[in-house]
Amino acid sequence: MSSRMPTYFISHGGGPWPWIPQMRAGFAALEQALARMPEELPERPKAVLMVSGHWETEAVSVMHAARPPMVYDYHGFPPHTYEITYPAPGAPALAERAAALIEGTGLPVRLDETQGYDHGTFAPMEIMYPQADMPLFQVSIRKNYDPAQHVEIGRALAPMRDEGVLIVGSGLSYHNLRLFGPQAKAPSMAFDAWLSDALALPPAERLAALLGWESAPSARLCHPQEDHLVPLFTALGAAESEPASRPYHEDGIMGGVTASNFRFG
């Protein structure tokens, strides 16, 4: 690999949406943005490293299985969505490399032999790489949600961008399961606007703004629990000095939510 990969923070949509036609139609613009991602890269990645808001652990955990299983971490969807398979191969050697890099930060880290792909990973990957032929592994978020620690994890992983690994933070720029529909419009729009402005700042100011995200407009309405925001910090940390762009932005999904994806580098 001769080219540095960008990093991304993506909104991964709702549940197993690619397998439910009505939901998929509602995420048409997101689908287009995710489908474009492979075309936006300098070359085909060696693997995708996904940091999903759906895998939380005490120590940083790195998926190590050669053939990771599936995790159906959603409720109330049609029976066929509990039989989905996304049979992408794992990447054990790259997982070991990632764990070694994270270990260098002094944070606790472990290789996980049993964790499977959660829907924050397999739903967007179904659109990005529908042939499921791209090696894929996950790095967890820590249960403490500490922004600075997750930026540090991204910094540690940054060398992998020059080794052909695409780092993707998968969450949602708005995630309040009790406030969807029209009531989500004003808070999600306000927070998304702040987030877009903050990411356009010079690197040092950008980092300070993101570390202080709780002071943003409607921050705690949009993220009463910030599991779906935390992957952004790792994507940012892995491309800390590089410019941000917004390849996807949409108003009114899921009945009223404003959401965006961001690319760094």
Side-chain angles (χ1 to χ4, degrees):
M1 287 285 172
S2 59
S3 300
R4 174 172 292 181
M5 289 289 163
T7 73
Y8 284 84
F9 172 67
I10 62 170
S11 293
H12 61 233
W17 63 271
W19 292 269
I20 301 174
Q22 185 175 358
M23 288 187 73
R24 188 164 182 164
F27 286 113
L30 176 61
E31 178 171 353
Q32 291 170 10
L34 294 173
R36 286 195 305 268
M37 282 175 59
E39 302 169 7
E40 296 168 354
L41 304 177
E43 48 198 339
R44 182 176 168 85
K46 183 184 295 183
V48 172
L49 186 169
M50 192 78 74
V51 181
S52 167
H54 287 276
W55 188 24
E56 302 180 23
T57 55
E58 295 290 350
V60 184
S61 296
V62 183
M63 181 184 289
H64 193 233
R67 288 287 173 182
M70 303 293 291
V71 177
Y72 305 115
D73 53 341
Y74 40 74
H75 305 281
F77 287 94
H80 75 272
T81 63
Y82 298 89
E83 299 175 357
I84 290 166
T85 58
Y86 185 78
L94 291 172
E96 292 165 14
R97 166 74 169 146
L101 289 169
I102 296 168
E103 187 175 29
T105 69
L107 293 172
V109 63
R110 60 182 291 271
L111 293 170
D112 190 299
E113 308 294 340
T114 62
Q115 177 67 25
Y117 298 137
D118 61 63
H119 82 265
T121 293
F122 70 74
M125 285 294 290
E126 171 70 14
I127 305 302
M128 294 163 58
Y129 293 99
Q131 300 303 314
D133 57 354
M134 174 60 64
L136 173 64
F137 68 108
Q138 294 184 225
V139 171
S140 71
I141 62 172
R142 297 198 73 191
K143 289 183 177 180
N144 64 13
Y145 301 149
D146 185 296
Q149 287 188 9
H150 288 88
V151 170
E152 188 64 26
I153 293 166
R155 289 174 181 152
L157 294 171
M160 300 193 77
R161 297 174 56 205
D162 294 313
E163 300 164 10
V165 177
L166 175 65
I167 298 172
V168 180
S170 177
L172 201 64
S173 54
Y174 174 91
H175 195 253
N176 184 337
L177 295 177
R178 297 184 178 182
L179 197 70
F180 277 120
Q183 291 178 302
K185 181 176 181 180
S188 66
M189 190 173 291
F191 185 78
D192 191 90
W194 173 85
L195 189 58
S196 297
D197 289 345
L199 290 174
L201 293 169
E205 296 174 47
R206 177 173 71 180
L207 179 60
L210 266 292
L211 292 179
W213 72 273
E214 288 179 271
S215 64
S218 299
R220 278 299 179 188
L221 267 179
C222 294
H223 294 281
Q225 182 171 303
E226 60 266 38
D227 50 327
H228 277 54
L229 184 64
V230 166
L232 169 63
F233 304 137
T234 299
L236 173 64
E240 192 170 359
S241 64
E242 297 179 48
S245 56
R246 189 172 67 176
Y248 163 76
H249 173 77
E250 187 173 11
D251 299 323
I253 62 170
M254 293 177 281
V257 171
T258 295
S260 295
N261 291 358
F262 297 95
R263 170 187 164 122
F264 302 96

